[in-house]
Amino acid sequence: MKIYDTNAGEWTSMEIDNSLKIDRRHGHTAVLTSDGNIIVYGGGKGELHITAYPQLFVLKKYRKSYKWVIPTVRTTSYSAPKLIYHSAYEGQR
């Protein structure tokens, strides 16, 4: 995987564990967390906007590699937002 460092203005290579099947998608959100992980939610695939799977996953940043993981989500009283063309942010409610 190629990673662009916006501060240094250069590309570097990083190993990534591709053992988890992640559908290509569009219309999703991705949020960079304060600890350097990336949370991806929703999105569709193809012209018919079929739901892409998994619907929620995280790119975990380790010292010399990255790994895709599916987090365990506890049930809340909130209903999930629509899965395509939505917005997101990392913050407190």
Side-chain angles (χ1 to χ4, degrees), residues 20-93:
L20 184 63
K21 167 102 171 64
I22 305 286
D23 289 341
R24 289 181 170 216
R25 62 196 61 221
H26 61 274
H28 60 283
T29 55
V31 177
L32 178 64
T33 64
S34 58
D35 59 359
N37 295 323
I38 299 172
I39 301 170
V40 180
Y41 177 75
K45 60 182 182 176
E47 293 179 19
L48 299 177
H49 308 301
I50 297 167
T51 300
Y53 289 97
Q55 297 174 358
L56 174 68
F57 55 98
V58 178
L59 182 61
K60 297 285 282 185
K61 180 180 174 185
Y62 297 100
R63 175 167 272 173
K64 297 198 178 205
S65 67
Y66 284 174
K67 182 176 182 176
W68 295 114
V69 297
I70 298 174
T72 302
V73 179
R74 63 185 170 157
T75 304
T76 67
S77 60
Y78 298 105
S79 61
K82 63 183 182 174
L83 292 176
I84 191 166
Y85 301 119
H86 55 274
S87 61
Y89 73 97
E90 180 191 25
Q92 301 266 332
R93 282 191 176 247

